Amino acid sequence: MSSTSSASASGAPPVPASGLPSCGPLSSVPAQVRRTVAGATAAPADAGLTVVVLAPTDPMTRGQLRRMADLARDEGYRVRWEEARGGPTAPFATIGGLSGLLRRADRVVMGDPFSRYVQLLLTITRARDLVVVDDGTATMEFVAQLARGERLVRWHRKGGRPGPRDLLFAPVSSSARRRLTPSARRRVEVFSSMPVHETPDGVTVTANDFSWTRARFGPPRITKGADMVGTSLVETGVVDGDSYLEAVRTLAKAHGTTRYFAHRRESTDKLHRLAKETGLEIVRPDLPLEVIARRGPIGRTILSFPSTVVHTLPLALAGTGVRVAVCDIDPAWLTENASPRAQGFLSGVTGTARDVHRLTSVTAV
């Protein structure tokens, strides 16, 4: 379960629904910790929130989570760092250690409902309030799947045949979907800056407008140049690596880009190649990009491919004059293994973004 940053129009971040959870975010994503802390700061620090970090193995993500955990502590909240993936026995130790906390919790906040770990932990809790706090593109898919009564599958895997692990885990996934469906005994809320069009009956949707982030960080110093935000679409098997590199090179040349903010899941080999063949300075952020941008310095133009940041950065940088520009994914860049609905989903991410400048797709040679 996870934490995230949230904000209200008044400038004080809202607490989703009606109060704070006894067990706060179970999270393995840094931005989810940020959103949880932001949402919690509207209430006293002794309100009983415990932030649980399900530590991943990826060094970049771990580093960002360490920084966000420190921020949560600075805001006065308890943080539990769980080495949930630290070996064959780690899951058993983590689940056993959290069982009591989850059973006592009145509210559970989670950052990634597609996570098998989170789905497993959901089978333990008896909380009457479940809150999904995430500003990722997966939120759009989660809400739509819940509304249609479909099994929970990440968008870039949808359309493929379930593997042996999927079939083995199917009963747990089904149980989690039922628990995330509102009933007379359970309230479900989604707290996100992402557009939600198919709202399931009974689900409350609360908008995150990033006012906590704006109040807590910045305003940033704005440079004259342009920065680019990376994506992990190559790593997830959606976009061809050579096509992506050529697209980055073409965009950087056209817009005078000098810095490339890497996604935390981008591979080291790919980033080395990008630096060598494009001349871009590769920046590995140690905090979520919305915080990095608010702290500055940041380019007057930020270039991105379809991703979460085309929704979050305009909110985080509102009033600064920074322009966010997004380049669509050319269908020719997709790999043969990409989900059949990848192009439509990515176009939807761009098409629903507000306050962004839409660039014509560049041609990868």
Side-chain angles (χ1 to χ4, degrees):
M1 307 168 137
S2 159
S3 58
T4 347
S5 76
S6 36
S8 68
S10 65
V15 178
S18 58
L20 286 169
S22 301
C23 178
L26 296 165
S27 174
S28 57
V29 179
Q32 292 165 352
V33 176
R34 172 183 49 78
R35 286 184 292 271
T36 298
V37 171
T41 52
D46 61 354
L49 177 68
T50 299
V51 178
V52 179
V53 180
L54 304 175
T57 56
D58 169 57
M60 276 301 302
T61 308
R62 287 175 67 90
Q64 287 191 10
L65 279 166
R66 290 284 188 194
R67 292 291 308 277
M68 293 311 301
D70 289 341
L71 187 150
R73 292 186 185 99
D74 291 343
E75 296 291 331
Y77 298 100
R78 294 187 296 273
V79 177
R80 285 183 57 155
W81 182 277
E82 296 284 341
E83 291 292 352
R85 299 165 177 86
T89 63
F92 301 101
T94 297
I95 293 169
L98 293 175
S99 294
L101 181 62
L102 285 167
R103 289 195 179 100
R104 293 191 303 270
D106 297 321
R107 169 172 298 171
V108 172
V109 182
M110 69 205 78
D112 182 7
F114 291 107
S115 164
R116 287 174 174 165
Y117 226 133
V118 169
Q119 290 178 6
L120 186 59
L121 291 170
L122 273 176
T123 65
I124 299 172
T125 184
R126 301 167 184 165
R128 289 184 57 85
D129 287 326
L130 298 178
V131 185
V132 176
V133 250
D134 189 30
D135 291 321
T137 53
T139 301
M140 301 162 66
E141 190 72 352
F142 161 69
V143 174
Q145 289 177 15
L146 198 64
R148 296 191 293 262
E150 299 175 355
R151 69 188 183 100
L152 302 180
V153 183
R154 297 186 192 279
W155 69 266
H156 56 81
R157 296 181 56 206
K158 197 166 185 180
R161 296 181 61 181
R165 294 181 65 186
D166 297 315
L167 296 174
L168 183 65
F169 202 78
V172 173
S173 183
S174 296
S175 175
R177 188 181 67 244
R178 287 193 298 272
R179 286 177 180 266
L180 287 166
T181 302
S183 67
R185 297 179 299 172
R186 189 175 300 109
R187 293 182 291 271
V188 178
E189 180 176 3
V190 174
F191 181 76
S192 179
S193 64
M194 304 302 289
V196 175
H197 300 298
E198 296 181 69
T199 306
D201 291 341
V203 172
T204 301
V205 178
T206 303
N208 173 17
D209 69 3
F210 277 77
S211 59
W212 178 87
T213 304
R214 293 195 302 271
R216 182 69 168 74
F217 304 99
R221 178 171 66 86
I222 310 299
T223 67
K224 294 182 179 180
D227 292 322
M228 186 177 295
V229 178
T231 173
S232 61
L233 289 173
V234 173
E235 284 71 14
T236 54
V238 175
V239 169
D240 172 71
D242 291 336
S243 298
Y244 180 77
L245 186 145
E246 187 59 36
V248 169
R249 187 194 346 254
T250 303
L251 278 174
K253 183 177 180 180
H255 294 272
T257 309
T258 57
R259 292 191 301 176
Y260 179 98
F261 287 96
H263 188 279
R264 56 192 170 78
R265 290 201 182 102
E266 287 189 85
S267 72
T268 301
D269 289 344
K270 172 184 151 189
L271 293 175
H272 283 165
R273 187 182 173 196
L274 275 172
K276 181 179 179 181
E277 298 188 27
T278 67
L280 289 168
E281 175 192 355
I282 305 298
V283 179
R284 284 275 206 176
D286 61 350
L287 288 166
L289 190 59
E290 295 82 7
V291 176
I292 293 289
R294 284 296 306 180
R295 294 173 67 180
I298 194 71
R300 187 165 297 281
T301 299
I302 299 177
L303 303 170
S304 175
F305 296 98
S307 72
T308 299
V309 298
V310 303
H311 292 266
T312 61
L313 283 179
L315 294 170
L317 294 169
T320 64
V322 173
R323 183 183 74 153
V324 178
V326 57
C327 178
D328 281 322
I329 298 294
D330 190 315
W333 304 352
L334 300 179
T335 68
E336 60 181 14
N337 297 320
S339 164
R341 64 182 303 273
Q343 183 64 36
F345 181 82
L346 292 169
S347 296
V349 171
T350 302
T352 55
R354 295 175 296 177
D355 301 321
V356 298
H357 178 67
R358 198 161 183 174
L359 302 173
T360 302
S361 178
V362 297
T363 301
V365 188

